Amino acid sequence: MNPQQIELVKNTVPVLRESGVALTSYFYARMLKNHPELNNVFNLDHQSSGRQPRALAAAVLAYADNIENPSVLAKAIEHITTKHVSLDIRPEQYAIVGDNLLHSISEVLDVPMESELIAAWKVAYLQLADILIGVEKQKYDNLAAQNGGWAGWRTFIVKNIESLDSGKRFSLVPQDAQAIVPADAGSFISVKVKVPNQSIEQPQQFSFTEDQIAQEYSFVVKAEETATEFSVANILLNTYQVNDVVQVSAPVKR
Ligand code: HEM
C-alpha cells in the first residue's frame, strides 16, 4: 500500500468504530442475499445473536488500526484462520466477502465505489485476505498430511448417543472406516448437520473434554435455550439418531 492509501484507511477507523457493527450487519445481509449458498457456511444462529458481526467488525478495525504493521495481529490471525479451517473456508470465498464488504462500506458511508477511499480499502482487504489465505493453506496442508487427517469435510456416522444429566454424549466414526487423527482434550471439530424442513446445512464447533484416542470422536452436546431453529446443538439433540450421518472437519487446537 502507498502512504496515501494507508492514510485513507487509517482515517476511516473512527468512523468504523462508530458504525462498525452496523456496517458488518449490513454487509452480512447483503452478502447472504446475493449468495444464498453461504447460508450453509455461516452459522445463522450466531448471525441472529450478533456474535459473528461483532467479531468481524472488531477484526476489521484491529486490522485498519495496525495497517502499517500487520505482524501485531499475529494472534488474531492465528485465531481466525483456525476457525476458518475448521469451517472449510476456501480462497475463492474471499472474493465474495471482499466485494460485499467494499460495496457495504461504500453504501453505508455514502462514498462512491470509484472513490480513492474504496480503492484504498480494496488494497487493504486484499492484503489481509492474502495473509489469511496463505496461513489457511498451510493449515489445510498440515491437516491433510497427518496420518488419518483430512482437509475440509468428511462424512461421519453417529455410532452412539448416551443420555447424560447435562445433555447427550455423541460418538462419531468415519463412514469410510479409515483411520482418524487422535485429538487432545480442548481441541475442537466442526460438525455440520441438515436443518430439518429446510434445504440448508449448518456448522457448529464442539470441543473435546477428553483426549480422543479410540478411532472415534466423542463429545457432549448441551441444549441451547435461547437458540433459533438453526442451533446445531438442538438439531443434534432433537432429530439425530444412531446411524445418521454428519459432516465433520478435522480436529484443531484453539
Ligand atoms: C479478510 C477477511 C476475513 C476476516 C477479517 C474474517 C474474520 C473473522 C473473525 C474475526 C471471525 C470470528 C472468529 C471466532 O468466532 O472466534 C470469523 C469467523 C468466521 N468466518 Fe471469517 N473472516 C474473513 C473472511 C471470511 C470468508 C471469506 C469466509 C467465507 C465465506 C468467512 C467465514 C467465516 C465463518 C463461517 C466464521 C464463523 C462464524 C460463526 O460463528 O458462524 N470469513 N471470521
Side-chain angles (χ1 to χ4, degrees), residues 27-28 31 38 41-47 51-52 54-60 63 76 79-80 83-84 87-98 101 125 128-130 132 136 203-205:
F27 149 73
Y28 275 109
M31 182 170 70
L38 291 180
V41 176
F42 287 93
N43 185 305
L44 302 174
D45 202 35
H46 293 178
Q47 297 293 309
R51 255 156 72 186
Q52 167 61 11
R54 271 196 294 275
L56 182 61
V60 169
Y63 180 68
H79 178 84
I80 295 169
K83 187 74 169 271
H84 280 173
L87 287 160
D88 194 28
I89 301 307
R90 294 279 153 192
E92 58 274 16
Q93 292 171 326
Y94 278 86
I96 299 173
V97 166
L101 189 62
Y125 174 80
L128 178 58
D130 267 0
L132 297 179
E136 286 162 20
Q204 170 75 51
Q205 290 71 49

Side-chain angles (χ1 to χ4, degrees), residues 1 27 56 59-60 63-64 67 70 73 76-78 80-81 84-85 89-102 120-138 140:
M1 292 183 81
F27 149 73
L56 182 61
V60 169
Y63 180 68
I67 190 83
L73 298 173
I77 285 167
E78 178 58 28
I80 295 169
T81 54
H84 280 173
V85 164
I89 301 307
R90 294 279 153 192
E92 58 274 16
Q93 292 171 326
Y94 278 86
I96 299 173
V97 166
D99 186 53
N100 282 281
L101 189 62
L102 295 175
W121 261 104
K122 186 174 180 178
V123 182
Y125 174 80
L126 290 177
Q127 188 174 300
L128 178 58
D130 267 0
I131 296 170
L132 297 179
I133 289 170
V135 176
E136 286 162 20
K137 179 174 179 349
Q138 246 173 23
Y140 285 124

